[in-house]
Amino acid sequence: MYEQGVIRPPSEASSLLVRVTRNCPWNRCLFCPAYKGTTFSKRGVEEVMSDIDAMAEDYAPHIQMITSAFLQDADSLLLPTTELVAIIEHIKKRFPNITNITTYARAQSLKRKSVDDYKTLKEAGLTRIHTGMESGSAALLQMVRKGSTPEDMITGGLRVKEGGISLSEYIMPGLGGRTLSTEHALETAKLLNTIRPDHIRVRTFAMHPQSPMLKMVEEGVFVPMSDDEIVAEIRLLVANLDEMHSYFHCGDFSLNLLMQVDGYLDTDKAAMLHELDAFLSLTKEQKQAYTLLQRSNPSLQHPINVVKDPKVMEQLLPEIEKLEKRGADGFKQYIQHLMSYQLPQPQTDNWQ
Ligand code: SF4
């Protein structure tokens, strides 16, 4: 028997999952349902090694096919470097074909380690760190209780890169609502241009029905954005990103409306802007129709031109009208409801 956590990045779908800590040590971000209702704890090195041994026995018949591992849960870099090295070395000993070992980490933990720590971890076999930036706006990070500042993110991110480890930053369009949208896009672009991570992963904001952010909506502090407003925000962000060798990912997350906006900023930025503009130039009804299609079938990626087909519009317009008649913002609320199904469930009914 061995322990595994429930969360890993989509890019680690085929990785061996090795749980080195349990849950999230911060767990206060207002937008994140992932670990709510759980308690953080560290695991001992011996315990983790015994899990790795058990997995090696279980996977023995096809162990040669396992080439990557992911260290769980939300912030493995909280562990001392010596412990992480021992765990990574044990993974490589028991799974000899593993060449990629990656993990999640918070900016607070990233900045506590030195460049030499990252060089040591890289030499042991840690190849990539995934970290949640969410936004470059200090005001927005404070509003959603991220617990990290843009300065923390710069310090930690640049050290990871200097240590030779690939860096993957997650950002969340829509998180600032209408009020902070422009600042969110511009400050996030500025921070990404400073850190220049290898990967930028877009995670469009969706509100969980139990989220404390609902109270902020009632109080008028947070005004949720519609899909087309979020696309406009992403357009502003992309336009302000340097043409650097960073991969801008929308295609690995189905809450991103335009998953086809995906590519290297140094070679594909113009094509990505073109796609964003193609959506933004649609009529209001065509945008709604595209949103309805995509949100109803998130695993499919529809070309934007699909809503220029009169037959498609003939089928979708009556549905949109029906939703609009449900009341003010009826269509928008239906779409937000569909999006919320794609979020992880908190393990509590009392998410504060
Ligand atoms: S976003 Fe990350 S740091 Fe924040 S509560 Fe969720 S797992 Fe923890």
Side-chain angles (χ1 to χ4, degrees):
M1 286 294 286
Y2 45 84
E3 246 187 80
Q4 282 184 331
V6 286
I7 309 279
R8 48 114 185 108
S11 55
E12 306 296 336
S14 56
S15 295
L16 184 80
L17 300 180
V18 180
R19 193 176 208 190
V20 304
T21 63
R22 299 181 185 95
N23 310 310
C24 173
W26 176 247
N27 214 7
R28 291 181 222 173
C29 300
L30 293 180
F31 56 88
C32 171
Y35 298 102
K36 294 298 182 293
T38 65
T39 307
F40 175 77
S41 61
K42 290 183 186 177
R43 299 188 72 210
V45 175
E46 295 302 321
E47 193 185 355
V48 178
M49 283 185 177
S50 134
D51 274 8
I52 295 165
D53 291 337
M55 286 190 266
E57 279 165 36
D58 263 19
Y59 297 137
H62 50 274
I63 203 161
Q64 304 300 329
M65 291 164 65
I66 299 175
T67 57
S68 61
F70 178 72
L71 310 181
Q72 295 177 304
D73 280 336
D75 191 10
S76 311
L77 269 282
L78 203 71
L79 293 184
T81 301
T82 47
E83 290 188 16
L84 284 167
V85 167
I87 290 167
I88 291 168
E89 285 176 347
H90 198 63
I91 293 173
K92 295 190 82 170
K93 183 174 152 203
R94 297 305 311 260
F95 292 83
N97 283 4
I98 283 188
T99 50
N100 287 317
I101 300 180
T102 69
T103 190
Y104 277 136
R106 292 187 66 230
Q108 293 301 312
S109 301
L110 290 184
K111 75 166 192 180
R112 279 193 206 108
K113 294 214 185 286
S114 66
V115 174
D116 282 343
D117 281 319
Y118 291 116
K119 285 184 179 163
T120 305
L121 287 165
K122 158 92 177 166
E123 208 178 300
L126 187 67
T127 48
R128 177 170 299 155
I129 294 175
H130 299 268
T131 185
M133 171 187 286
E134 327 307 351
S135 177
S137 156
L140 174 46
L141 292 172
Q142 205 176 2
M143 179 182 94
V144 298
R145 292 196 210 144
K146 182 67 192 167
S148 305
T149 64
E151 290 71 33
D152 298 333
M153 293 167 187
I154 292 172
T155 307
L158 291 181
R159 282 187 194 163
V160 170
K161 285 187 63 196
E162 204 181 328
I165 294 176
S166 168
L167 180 66
S168 183
E169 294 273 4
Y170 289 68
I171 57 163
M172 192 165 273
L175 186 61
R178 271 189 205 146
T179 318
L180 286 175
S181 177
T182 303
E183 173 174 337
H184 180 25
L186 296 179
E187 293 299 310
T188 303
K190 197 166 124 193
L191 189 54
L192 289 168
N193 288 340
T194 305
I195 299 174
R196 302 175 98 78
D198 302 275
H199 297 268
I200 299 167
R201 296 181 192 271
V202 178
R203 299 293 182 255
T204 295
F205 171 71
M207 177 115 59
H208 192 279
Q210 284 171 253
S211 169
M213 287 182 79
L214 283 172
K215 195 158 174 267
M216 295 165 68
V217 176
E218 283 162 23
E219 290 164 353
V221 180
F222 181 79
V223 185
M225 295 165 76
S226 61
D227 261 326
D228 58 313
E229 289 170 328
I230 293 178
V231 171
E233 183 182 292
I234 295 173
R235 206 247 177 239
L236 182 63
L237 167 78
V238 175
N240 281 278
L241 284 171
D242 290 346
E243 290 183 15
M244 53 193 165
H245 192 61
S246 299
Y247 199 99
F248 188 84
H249 299 258
C250 285
D252 64 347
F253 190 63
S254 57
L255 272 172
N256 297 327
L257 184 73
L258 303 182
M259 292 176 72
Q260 62 273 41
V261 175
D262 202 90
Y264 279 105
L265 286 163
D266 52 356
T267 51
D268 307 318
K269 177 172 162 173
M272 291 193 276
L273 286 172
H274 182 270
E275 193 66 13
L276 290 158
D277 287 338
F279 176 82
L280 292 170
S281 67
L282 296 173
T283 64
K284 181 188 168 203
E285 290 73 24
Q286 287 170 330
K287 282 179 190 159
Q288 285 181 310
Y290 187 85
T291 300
L292 185 58
L293 262 186
Q294 197 59 40
R295 295 302 181 203
S296 309
N297 307 280
S299 55
L300 295 177
Q301 196 173 300
H302 298 90
I304 287 172
N305 276 345
V306 73
V307 292
K308 292 191 176 164
D309 180 340
K311 282 188 198 145
V312 172
M313 291 303 285
E314 220 172 277
Q315 282 186 335
L316 292 173
L317 280 176
E319 295 303 318
I320 294 168
E321 271 168 35
K322 244 190 267 170
L323 292 168
E324 293 279 33
K325 279 185 191 149
R326 286 185 178 186
D329 277 344
F331 178 79
K332 187 174 160 190
Q333 280 178 9
Y334 178 71
I335 295 297
Q336 285 169 352
H337 183 66
L338 287 182
M339 290 170 75
S340 72
Y341 284 129
Q342 289 176 254
L343 295 169
Q345 288 308 310
Q347 293 177 43
T348 173
D349 292 333
N350 189 26
W351 173 8
Q352 301 282 321

